[in-house]
Amino acid sequence: MTSLIASDHNPDDLRRRESPVFMSGNLPPDVPEVFDARYGAALDSALSRRSPSRLIGAHQYRGSDRDRAAGAAFTGRRLGTTPTPERVVVANGTQSILIQLLSGLVPRGGLIAVEGLTYPTIRTFVQTLGIDVAPVAMDGEGIDPEAFEQVCRTRRPAALYTMPTLQNPTTVTMSTDRRRAIADVCRRYDVSVIEDDIYSLLPTDAPPPLSAYLPELSWYVLGTAKSIAAGLKVAYLVAPDEESAKARFWPGVRSTYWMVAPINAAVMSSLVEDDGATAIIDAVRDEIRARHELVTDALAGIDHRTTPESLHVWLPLSADRTAADLAAGALAAGASIGTSDTFYFGTGTAPEAVRFGVGAPPDRAALERGLTAVRHAYHR
Ligand SMILES: Cc1ncc(COP(=O)(O)O)c(C=O)c1O
């Protein structure tokens, strides 16, 4: 009989192909020595608590009580206080939460404010939903409060989507004062905030989330894809209050696509309860710091923006060099990297820059090969 079990080769796993080294994506590095043991223990624990049929047999619109309590504990580490579990929604990833919030908070034909350079998927979502975008100018601390206030006064956005910590793609982190200033503008113009804090768990000194200064208007999203594993597919949302969490994520909206697979949520709850999540995040942080030593060496003399706990590097180019040219050169030399136009929401042309991931290559040797290719292309 022919075996139905094929090899576990995955043709879409760009990360593991030999060439070009995959640096256009932004994944946390593999840390198998910690991850495998802690994930395995959490899986055993999840399966020992409930039978698979009880665990998996029902829809979970906002997550089980246990999973929302774990989400409250996990997000509470960032928020400074633990939210009530009733405000928490457990979902299958940040993207699902974002599209549900965009469609719920911004009417068709309405406006969302975003950082001038931001997460490209937002473009796909707003186009699908028929929402307009107001890009806001940024400086070395992220969104410029005066430019934001001007947008609020003249264009009245319903919401702001922002990444205050290790912003994608610029790696900028807003200071505490800047967070307060943006929160103040939101309060004065009644603008809801969708805060995507996905890169915040690797730095040990990240300021409190913007949402901590604006709990009544903030939808705080903390996914695990950038700090634990991209395929875990668990993200938490903290809504402004219990009623609004229920109103947006319940059977009456007639969709279920955001719902987490119960086994994933249960494993993550075990990881929160037994501190396995902390152990994995610590190991990811150690590995990313070690990789940044290679980045510092390879990019010596090249102006770039990053921090030792950032998953990505932003490399602005001088006027005589285009991002497309550098990316083509890097590809020819063996590394795939991203160009600024993908992230740009402004009018006119994007500032010339490239972004590449430090955690995406499967190991340090592959990262070194990729960095050599970027360096080579830069100096061509
Ligand atoms: C800012 C930001 N949010 C969300 C995601 C994706 O999160 P998830 O896989 O949980 O949907 C990414 C991945 O690149 C990202 O950069």
Side-chain angles (χ1 to χ4, degrees), residues 25-27 91-98 118-122 125 161 163 166-168 196-199 221-226 229-231 233-235 312 343 355:
N26 210 9
L27 304 173
N92 60 18
T94 293
Q95 288 197 357
S96 303
I97 295 174
L98 295 182
T118 191
Y119 182 36
T121 297
I122 295 295
F125 288 171
Y161 168 74
M163 259 173 288
L166 287 178
Q167 207 258 354
N168 182 14
D196 188 344
D197 212 20
I198 198 160
Y199 293 103
V221 191
L222 187 59
T224 58
K226 306 297 177 182
K233 302 312 292 176
V234 178
H312 54 279
F343 303 93
R355 190 206 74 167

Side-chain angles (χ1 to χ4, degrees), residues 25-333:
N26 210 9
L27 304 173
D30 275 351
V31 287
E33 56 302 333
V34 177
F35 186 90
D36 291 357
R38 300 306 295 243
Y39 185 92
L43 184 60
D44 289 347
S45 151
L47 288 174
S48 69
R49 293 173 62 102
R50 280 179 109 182
S51 72
S53 56
R54 283 289 305 282
L55 182 63
I56 291 165
H59 277 327
Q60 298 192 5
Y61 283 87
R62 285 175 296 128
S64 70
D65 290 348
R66 177 191 180 217
D67 297 335
R68 280 183 292 117
F74 191 67
T75 53
R77 290 160 41 146
R78 283 286 297 133
L79 288 165
T81 53
T82 306
T84 57
E86 289 70 33
R87 288 173 61 200
V88 175
V89 176
V90 190
N92 60 18
T94 293
Q95 288 197 357
S96 303
I97 295 174
L98 295 182
I99 196 161
Q100 187 66 6
L101 290 182
L102 286 170
S103 64
L105 298 177
V106 188
R108 187 166 276 273
L111 187 70
I112 178 129
V114 299
E115 282 127 355
L117 290 150
T118 191
Y119 182 36
T121 297
I122 295 295
R123 198 187 321 277
T124 314
F125 288 171
V126 295
Q127 283 169 355
T128 307
L129 296 170
I131 292 173
D132 286 335
V133 176
V136 184
M138 301 167 73
D139 61 16
E141 284 198 39
I143 294 174
D144 174 355
E146 282 180 20
F148 180 45
E149 173 146 24
Q150 164 85 355
V151 166
C152 292
R153 200 173 37 240
T154 56
R155 301 190 61 194
R156 298 279 164 182
L160 165 71
Y161 168 74
T162 181
M163 259 173 288
T165 300
L166 287 178
Q167 207 258 354
N168 182 14
T170 62
T171 77
V172 161
T173 291
M174 284 185 195
S175 66
T176 301
D177 283 350
R178 179 60 61 92
R179 289 168 200 243
R180 284 207 177 91
I182 300 297
D184 184 47
V185 176
C186 289
R187 194 170 279 121
R188 279 189 283 121
Y189 291 89
D190 195 27
V191 176
S192 294
V193 169
I194 302 173
E195 178 171 11
D196 188 344
D197 212 20
I198 198 160
Y199 293 103
S200 70
L201 293 169
L202 296 182
T204 48
D205 57 354
L210 174 54
S211 302
Y213 303 104
L214 191 70
E216 74 278 17
L217 279 172
S218 290
W219 299 78
Y220 176 73
V221 191
L222 187 59
T224 58
K226 306 297 177 182
S227 55
I228 298 186
L232 181 59
K233 302 312 292 176
V234 178
Y236 300 111
L237 166 69
V238 181
D241 50 59
E242 178 179 350
E243 285 64 42
S244 43
K246 276 189 183 154
R248 302 265 166 255
F249 297 84
W250 75 299
V253 298
R254 309 232 175 269
S255 17
T256 60
Y257 66 87
W258 69 79
M259 292 188 334
V260 68
I263 187 65
N264 292 352
V267 169
M268 183 58 195
S269 295
S270 297
L271 285 171
V272 172
E273 289 161 8
D274 73 4
D275 260 349
T278 307
I280 294 169
I281 292 167
D282 287 349
V284 169
R285 182 183 306 112
D286 287 348
E287 175 61 21
I288 206 76
R289 282 179 177 161
R291 289 181 178 215
H292 268 285
E293 290 178 19
L294 304 176
V295 172
T296 305
D297 287 349
L299 298 190
I302 300 177
D303 181 31
H304 64 282
R305 317 258 184 280
T306 193
T307 75
E309 290 144 345
S310 170
L311 284 189
H312 54 279
V313 173
W314 180 243
L315 201 157
L317 297 166
S318 52
D320 58 343
R321 194 74 194 272
T322 66
D325 176 54
L326 179 60
L331 191 62

